[in-house]
Amino acid sequence: MKTVLLTGGLGFIGSHIAVNLIESDYKVIIADDLSNSKIETLDKIEKITGKSPIFYQVDVCERKLLEKTFSENRIDSVVHLAGYKSVAESTQEPIKYYRNNLISTLTVLEEMQKYKIAQFVFSSSATVYGSENPVPYKEDMKIGNCTNPYGHTKLISEEIARDVAKANPYISVMMLRYFNPVGAHSSGLIGEEPQGEPSNLMPYICKVASGEYEYLSVFGNDYPTKDGTGVRDYIHVEDLAEGHVKALEYLKNNPGSHIFNLGTGQGYSVLEILEAFEKANNVKISYRIEPRRPGDLSEFYADPSKANEVLDWRAERTVEDMCRDSWNYVLTNSKTDKF
Ligand code: UFG
């Protein structure tokens, strides 16, 4: 049985990857500082899979503390997700983002060199394609011109990982460029729990549906898109998680540096998502058209054909599944711990 260290493994995406890895017979070790996640998620992973990951509460930027994770286990691969992820916050506090997101990547790779660990999978983002590429985005496009510091930290982390792989041929690296992850586990046990007011579309819609907010602000209806609202490639978090298992399998036999888009290849507008959510869950979502949000692009979606062909991976779940599972997570958890 192969052992995977999952940094940030109790977060929204990490917890789904943990479930998928365990279900695919990997032994999972999670390193997470709980800064944007909850310890109860560990029990929920166990409830779903029947197995509990080994857990280290650690900030992966702290090399001495992270070292314990490596010295106490025989790790085969690292899936690195730990990092700050708010685009808006990154524009207000760039140093916080550069420090945390780059030092965490450097520290993990340093430990991998020290312990001669062969596989590194990095949680990158479609944001690295910047603002000038035409859609759909393809892996061989020139990257850069990101609209925010968060995006730059992903871009620079990718470069760091590629350089480390070049200098250490026994290390293979894979950048997975996520599009817009939404949805939740079909059990309703794990899902997205933004702290404070959500900035992303799906969590905000859920809060309007639950009555916490009166309406959704739709940021702009004058984009050159099908209905004037922003278009994105929403991907179900369970499909995204399955992509990581495929990535690890591929890396075992294919050394070097690799890049894959994880998206569906389909763009949906804000109004289309609203409508799909209402239909899937039989709820009404009030909205108001507001000015564009600074830094937003009008439209982006993936060309996922490389991952489809090379990794034999495909996003299978529909927008209806995404809307239903996002809302199911809110309903399941409001019954248990909110009211
Ligand atoms: N939107 C609204 N109202 C809201 C929130 C969002 O109209 O309250 C719109 C946005 O303008 C955009 C779309 O919904 O058109 C999606 O916005 P999100 O904030 O959900 O997602 P983004 O595409 O802006 O950003 C996401 C991730 C980033 C990542 C980026 C590129 O949050 O981490 O995709 O992959 F960098």
Side-chain angles (χ1 to χ4, degrees), residues 85 87 125-127 150 178-180 199-201 204 216-219 230 232 234 270 293 296 300:
K85 62 173 187 180
V87 170
S125 166
T127 192
Y150 160 79
Y178 307 162
F179 281 71
N180 286 55
S199 54
N200 295 122
L201 181 63
Y204 208 101
L216 171 81
S217 300
V218 174
F219 299 137
R232 296 290 182 272
Y234 297 93
V270 175
R293 184 171 63 178
D296 270 355
F300 63 84

Side-chain angles (χ1 to χ4, degrees), residues 84-87 124-128 137 147-148 150-151 154 177-182 192 197-205 215-220 223 229-234 268-271 273 288 291-293 295-300:
Y84 295 149
K85 62 173 187 180
S86 161
V87 170
S124 190
S125 166
T127 192
V128 301
Y137 292 162
T147 55
N148 56 78
Y150 160 79
K154 291 293 179 190
R177 294 181 180 159
Y178 307 162
F179 281 71
N180 286 55
V182 295
E192 187 166 14
E197 188 175 339
S199 54
N200 295 122
L201 181 63
M202 191 64 86
Y204 208 101
I205 292 179
Y215 63 90
L216 171 81
S217 300
V218 174
F219 299 137
Y223 286 109
T229 65
V231 167
R232 296 290 182 272
D233 185 340
Y234 297 93
Y268 284 88
S269 74
V270 175
L271 294 181
I273 294 293
R288 290 186 198 165
R292 292 181 180 192
R293 184 171 63 178
D296 270 355
L297 299 178
S298 65
E299 169 171 54
F300 63 84

Side-chain angles (χ1 to χ4, degrees), residues 5 11 89 161 169 175 205 289:
L5 171 65
E89 192 184 33
M175 323 304 160
I205 292 179
I289 304 293

Side-chain angles (χ1 to χ4, degrees), residues 10-290:
L10 291 184
F12 169 46
I13 298 170
S15 55
H16 289 82
I17 297 174
V19 167
N20 256 270
L21 286 172
I22 295 170
E23 287 173 344
S24 307
D25 261 345
Y26 285 90
K27 179 172 165 191
V28 174
I29 299 169
I30 289 178
D32 194 306
D33 66 356
L34 300 179
S35 62
N36 193 21
S37 58
K38 288 185 178 165
I39 190 67
E40 295 86 68
T41 303
L42 204 57
D43 294 335
K44 294 180 176 173
I45 293 170
E46 185 174 3
K47 217 167 167 186
I48 296 169
T49 62
K51 286 190 190 141
S52 185
I54 298 171
F55 176 61
Y56 290 83
Q57 184 175 346
V58 61
D59 175 348
V60 300
C61 294
E62 300 283 344
R63 187 168 175 195
K64 281 219 174 79
L65 303 178
L66 182 67
E67 168 103 40
K68 232 166 106 70
T69 321
F70 285 84
S71 62
E72 292 179 357
N73 301 281
R74 214 191 53 75
I75 294 168
D76 297 293
S77 321
V78 177
V79 178
H80 176 48
L81 287 94
Y84 295 149
K85 62 173 187 180
S86 161
V87 170
E89 192 184 33
S90 80
T91 61
Q92 288 147 10
E93 296 185 71
I95 292 176
K96 175 176 163 179
Y97 271 68
Y98 282 111
R99 186 189 298 284
N100 184 70
N101 291 4
L102 298 182
I103 293 184
S104 59
T105 300
L106 289 168
T107 311
V108 167
L109 286 165
E110 239 176 336
E111 288 302 294
M112 286 185 60
Q113 274 191 173
K114 184 169 172 197
Y115 285 86
K116 299 252 179 300
I117 292 165
Q119 290 138 10
F120 178 77
V121 174
F122 179 60
S123 147
S124 190
S125 166
T127 192
V128 301
Y129 289 106
S131 51
E132 275 151 34
N133 280 309
V135 291
Y137 292 162
K138 288 169 93 76
E139 289 86 347
D140 57 5
M141 283 175 166
K142 198 166 177 298
I143 57 173
N145 283 316
C146 301
T147 55
N148 56 78
Y150 160 79
H152 284 126
T153 69
K154 291 293 179 190
L155 185 91
I156 299 166
S157 288
E158 282 200 8
E159 299 294 353
I160 294 170
R162 265 191 285 276
D163 285 342
V164 170
K166 242 186 256 167
N168 302 276
Y170 63 88
I171 299 183
S172 319
V173 299
M174 185 171 303
M175 323 304 160
L176 295 179
R177 294 181 180 159
Y178 307 162
F179 281 71
N180 286 55
V182 295
H185 193 264
S186 53
S187 64
L189 287 170
I190 53 174
E192 187 166 14
E193 234 162 292
Q195 288 180 350
E197 188 175 339
S199 54
N200 295 122
L201 181 63
M202 191 64 86
Y204 208 101
I205 292 179
C206 287
K207 289 202 183 272
V208 176
S210 66
E212 197 169 322
Y213 296 120
E214 198 188 331
Y215 63 90
L216 171 81
S217 300
V218 174
F219 299 137
N221 69 346
D222 56 352
Y223 286 109
T225 58
K226 42 189 151 185
D227 59 19
T229 65
V231 167
R232 296 290 182 272
D233 185 340
Y234 297 93
I235 172 167
H236 196 294
V237 65
E238 289 198 76
D239 280 327
L240 191 75
E242 284 163 14
H244 290 72
V245 176
K246 294 280 189 177
L248 282 174
E249 280 161 12
Y250 182 80
L251 268 190
K252 273 180 218 158
N253 304 317
N254 295 279
S257 292
H258 308 276
I259 306 168
F260 289 95
N261 285 338
L262 294 184
T264 65
Q266 297 280 329
Y268 284 88
S269 74
V270 175
L271 294 181
E272 284 175 328
I273 294 293
L274 265 185
E275 204 185 315
F277 191 95
E278 291 186 328
K279 214 167 137 211
N281 300 312
N282 202 20
V283 290
K284 186 94 200 96
I285 307 294
S286 305
Y287 72 91
R288 290 186 198 165
I289 304 293
E290 307 263 0

